């Protein structure tokens, strides 16, 4: 089975369409949360995702936009964009986001937006935090999003000790999935923050046990123009150019 792993689309339809074009025919799409927030086209992104056979978990922006969590912990721009998103959502989109689960078990994979320990809020960026998270799921691998950084954490039990390592991921990096337990972040489709503005996602092949990290160029200007036309915070549009 070929699976496209997408995360943090953030209402960036132009980026999501470019990614969908890049992955082409897949059996399933797994979405690791934050379909909406920040960007200009929340309903359209939900509808594009719904067009695939897909499974999705909730991110903080998804639940923030439908009032399931408080926006008090969002920074100002994120909150403004989330409040704007709330005014735009159709009833169908609202229901879809509100009903997303926080975690999903898909065979060898657990899906959780932030971390398996705290799916809505925790950022996993250090091996130390990741180490604790390996105790919070039992599958071989866990797919996460939230930080918008493509990365992998590996876990080994050796010589009576836990060893957890973190790796930043370069475009087109491919890994063979083995018995080693991993936490994997495919990066962000709609608002990359690792210094590379190209949309990030990953392709999983469950027969060959391979995972390929992809970067896809898209028309950033188009998304930025839509954002400024709608009066969304300028900083959120500007950061797309630099991927930070
Ligand atoms: Zn996000």
């Amino acid at each position: 089975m070929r699976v496209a792993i997408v995360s943090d689309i953030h209402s960036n339809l132009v980026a999501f369409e470019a990614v969908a074009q890049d992955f082409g025919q897949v059996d399933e799409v797994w979405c690791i949360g934050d379909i909406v927030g920040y960007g200009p086209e929340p309903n359209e992104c939900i509808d594009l995702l719904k067009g695939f056979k897909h499974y999705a978990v909730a991110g903080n922006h998804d639940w923030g936009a439908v009032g399931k969590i408080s926006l008090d912990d969002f920074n100002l721009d994120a909150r403004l964009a989330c409040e704007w998103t709330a005014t735009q959502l159709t009833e169908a989109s609202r229901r879809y986001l509100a009903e997303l689960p926080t975690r999903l078990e898909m065979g060898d994979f657990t899906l959780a937006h932030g971390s398996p320990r705290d799916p809505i809020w925790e950022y996993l960026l250090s091996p130390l935090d990741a180490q604790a998270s390996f105790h919070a799921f039992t599958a071989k691998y866990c797919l996460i999003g939230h930080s918008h950084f493509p990365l992998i954490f590996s876990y080994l039990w050796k010589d009576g000790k836990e060893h957890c390592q973190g790796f930043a991921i370069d475009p087109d990096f491919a890994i063979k999935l083995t018995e080693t337990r991993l936490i994997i972040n495919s990066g962000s489709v709609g608002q990359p923050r690792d210094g590379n503005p190209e949309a990030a996602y990953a392709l999983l092949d469950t027969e060959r046990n391979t995972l390929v990290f992809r970067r896809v160029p898209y028309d950033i200007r188009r998304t930025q123009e839509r954002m400024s036309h709608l009066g969304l915070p300028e900083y959120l549009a500007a950061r797309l150019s630099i991927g930070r």
Side-chain angles (χ1 to χ4, degrees):
M1 183 169 76
R2 274 178 95 238
V3 181
I5 298 162
V6 296
S7 189
D8 297 276
I9 296 164
H10 282 298
S11 302
N12 189 340
L13 183 67
V14 184
F16 190 18
E17 282 176 340
V19 161
Q21 177 126 34
D22 191 75
F23 63 64
Q25 200 72 30
V26 289
D27 299 294
E28 290 180 4
V29 175
W30 295 355
C31 177
I32 323 297
D34 279 0
I35 305 163
V36 304
Y38 296 133
E41 281 156 310
N43 295 305
E44 291 81 354
C45 285
I46 293 170
D47 290 342
L48 181 55
L49 183 62
K50 280 179 171 175
F52 300 104
K53 182 182 182 204
H54 77 284
Y55 297 88
V57 290
N60 51 318
H61 288 258
D62 302 319
W63 276 11
V66 296
K68 277 191 88 161
I69 55 171
S70 154
L71 299 182
D72 290 348
D73 290 327
F74 284 62
N75 67 46
L76 181 63
D77 283 339
R79 199 180 77 216
L80 289 172
C82 222
E83 285 167 352
W84 175 86
T85 301
T87 67
Q88 303 298 306
L89 291 176
T90 62
E91 196 41 49
S93 293
R94 198 181 309 279
R95 203 172 329 116
Y96 175 84
L97 294 176
E99 286 171 2
L100 289 175
T102 54
R103 261 175 84 140
L104 278 175
E105 304 297 329
M106 310 286 295
D108 284 341
F109 295 83
T110 292
L111 277 53
H113 178 64
S115 78
R117 199 160 61 152
D118 179 358
I120 296 293
W121 282 115
E122 186 178 21
Y123 284 94
L124 281 194
L125 285 165
S126 76
L128 197 66
D129 291 334
Q131 188 167 318
S133 265
F134 276 105
H135 297 283
F137 71 103
T138 53
K140 267 194 220 168
Y141 319 110
C142 181
L143 300 172
I144 60 165
H146 198 38
S147 71
H148 301 203
F149 280 85
L151 49 78
I152 293 177
F153 294 106
S154 67
Y155 180 90
L156 267 182
W157 178 261
K158 215 175 106 193
D159 305 326
K161 268 202 302 203
E162 293 183 308
H163 299 266
C164 186
Q165 280 183 291
F167 308 90
I169 301 300
D170 294 326
D172 292 316
F173 185 73
I175 56 165
K176 184 92 183 157
L177 298 168
T178 62
E179 289 306 306
T180 304
R181 295 185 74 212
L182 302 172
I183 295 176
I184 299 159
N185 191 329
S186 60
S188 168
V189 171
Q191 195 203 75
R193 292 181 192 161
D194 60 339
N196 178 349
E198 296 183 345
Y201 81 101
L203 266 174
L204 167 70
D205 186 320
T206 59
E207 270 104 60
R208 294 185 189 160
N209 283 322
T210 55
L211 186 80
V212 182
F213 291 80
R214 300 279 300 155
R215 296 310 280 254
V216 185
Y218 72 97
D219 190 347
I220 296 172
R221 283 296 297 269
R222 242 170 91 203
T223 297
Q224 290 171 325
E225 278 161 16
R226 289 176 191 179
M227 290 174 77
S228 77
H229 178 72
L230 293 163
L232 284 160
E234 243 170 70
Y235 167 70
L236 294 179
R239 70 186 301 179
L240 296 177
S241 300
I242 49 169
R244 292 275 182 210

